[in-house]
Amino acid sequence: MTSAPMRVGMIGLGAIGQGVLTQLAAMPDAAVDIVGVLVRDPSRPRPAGTPPVVGTVEALLALEPEVVVEVAGHEALAQHGPAVLRSGRDLIAVSVGALARPEVYDSLVAAACEGGAQITVASGAIGGLDAISAAAVGGITRVTHTTRKPATTLLGAEGAALTEPRELFRGTAREGVLEFPESVNVAAAVSLAGVGLDRTELVVVADPAITRNRHEVVVEGDFGSLRFEIENVPTTANPKTGRIVAMSIVRTLLRRCAPLAIG
């Protein structure tokens, strides 16, 4: 007996949201049905085949999704996330940098408890979160996260004049995520998996010599040490976002309904 496709709502239809739809369209056997998407302007013309679009979170929930995916940015997660969670729907979030603001973190956690739901942090542009969270059980002493992106991605036109790498930030992940909200969501994810936003050291570098977004994470603790590095191909629509982010969302959805889950 074949089970019905999982009903999924989505918040946001930018580069990541479009990437999710593209990935799912290429996987006809995936038991995932995007029943609706919450966008800022539902009246805007959309390509053929776009799922129904709505303008309020109430309208999205009325479409009866089983789970909701957020791919719209910090403010969208802060604004709409609590209502989703209070309704009892699980929420898969990409813009986890929003949790660097204590009031947003508290609001989302309280709403999840109230609705008996769960927030899942998608791996997004990073990896190794399962190993980091496992290491945190035994005790982590130090986490450093270095993000290198093309100079123009971080600095715009100013970056075109750079001839060597420029360190733009060094400090706690909480401070860095708030300063670069569109570029280092992954640092928030690493921090939440490990020792927290105030103990994770973040370095952000604008590098004119690279064309891919690079993240290097080093973790030390009772378990030993872990070093993880990834180079992401940026999306054409938004160079600050890697193509793998949409893939991570699809993988997270497929994992929910898979008979065998890895990691």
Side-chain angles (χ1 to χ4, degrees):
M1 180 176 177
T2 302
S3 59
M6 178 170 54
R7 297 175 61 83
V8 178
M10 197 157 65
I11 301 173
L13 197 53
I16 301 174
Q18 292 286 357
V20 169
L21 296 182
T22 299
Q23 290 291 329
L24 289 174
M27 304 170 68
D29 294 333
V32 176
D33 181 14
I34 306 296
V35 297
V37 185
L38 172 57
V39 297
R40 290 182 179 177
D41 182 8
S43 64
R44 177 181 169 186
R46 308 283 173 178
T50 299
V53 295
V54 297
T56 68
V57 69
E58 291 79 12
L60 181 65
L61 296 175
L63 296 172
E64 299 185 349
E66 300 169 47
V67 60
V68 174
V69 172
E70 173 279 314
V71 291
H74 288 199
E75 292 307 317
L77 178 57
Q79 180 180 356
H80 303 303
V84 171
L85 294 163
R86 280 195 297 269
S87 76
R89 274 85 166 188
D90 289 345
L91 178 65
I92 298 171
V94 165
S95 305
V96 292
L99 276 66
R101 292 154 52 190
E103 69 277 12
V104 175
Y105 180 95
D106 292 343
S107 174
L108 289 169
V109 170
C113 292
E114 181 180 342
Q118 185 179 67
I119 313 167
T120 297
V121 174
S123 58
I126 197 65
L129 297 183
D130 54 347
I132 296 172
S133 58
V137 173
I140 292 175
T141 56
R142 182 168 179 262
V143 179
T144 61
H145 184 143
T146 302
T147 291
R148 289 178 177 268
K149 292 194 175 185
T152 52
T153 297
L154 289 170
L155 296 172
E158 179 186 352
L162 282 189
T163 57
E164 58 185 24
R166 178 191 295 178
E167 184 176 297
L168 303 180
F169 176 85
R170 181 182 292 269
T172 69
R174 187 183 302 277
E175 295 169 320
V177 167
L178 294 175
E179 186 167 340
F180 298 92
E182 296 182 20
S183 296
V184 291
N185 272 301
V186 287
V190 167
S191 300
L192 293 169
V195 294
L197 287 151
D198 297 312
R199 289 181 55 200
T200 301
E201 180 182 1
L202 174 64
V203 180
V204 180
V205 179
D207 192 337
I210 63 174
T211 58
R212 296 183 177 185
N213 302 332
R214 296 181 181 177
H215 300 283
E216 181 186 86
V217 178
V218 179
V219 182
E220 299 171 355
D222 293 343
F223 72 101
S225 63
L226 174 153
R227 180 182 296 271
F228 180 88
E229 185 172 353
I230 186 169
E231 291 189 358
N232 293 322
V233 177
T235 62
T236 302
N238 182 3
K240 295 180 180 180
T241 298
R243 293 181 185 176
I244 199 171
V245 178
M247 300 174 194
S248 80
I249 288 291
V250 173
R251 184 260 183 187
T252 303
L253 289 171
L254 295 178
R255 188 180 189 277
R256 288 178 63 91
C257 53
L260 174 65
I262 307 297

